[in-house]
Amino acid sequence: MTHGAPAPSPAPAPPARSARTRTRTRTFRQPASARPSPEDTVPTTHQVLVNHEGQYALYPAARETPDGWTPAGFDGTEDACAAFVDAHWPDTRPLSLRGA
């Protein structure tokens, strides 16, 4: 390099991305196990069940009652059933531990 010669100019900067630049997005399909069931999308009537330990559960009324559970005599919306359980099950410990 000779003295007195101008320094080379830096390489031009790449153009800045504007806010209007479109970005590509990919849409992925959820696996069947992650898709909502019809019970999640359609209003479902629930029933309150109770087991031999005095534990309560909400269960879709259209389904057969599972073994070990009996209907508690209340059915309605999920919120109404949850309110029923809250009112009737203040101590959530199983019966076998409540008496101890």
Side-chain angles (χ1 to χ4, degrees):
M1 184 183 249
T2 60
H3 293 286
S9 61
R17 292 183 70 178
S18 73
R20 303 189 86 192
T21 303
R22 291 187 77 180
T23 57
R24 290 183 65 166
T25 57
R26 299 177 105 179
T27 304
F28 295 99
R29 292 193 70 191
Q30 292 180 335
S33 61
R35 292 184 194 141
S37 71
E39 292 168 352
D40 295 333
T41 57
V42 176
T44 301
T45 300
H46 288 77
Q47 63 179 328
V48 178
L49 304 177
V50 64
N51 67 13
H52 70 284
E53 285 281 1
Q55 297 170 310
Y56 286 80
L58 307 184
Y59 202 71
R63 290 192 178 179
E64 186 177 327
T65 303
D67 292 339
W69 294 87
T70 57
F74 186 87
D75 62 336
T77 65
E78 186 174 3
D79 289 338
C81 289
F84 177 87
V85 170
D86 288 342
H88 290 84
W89 192 27
D91 187 350
T92 59
R93 294 176 298 166
L95 281 176
S96 58
L97 293 179
R98 284 186 229 165

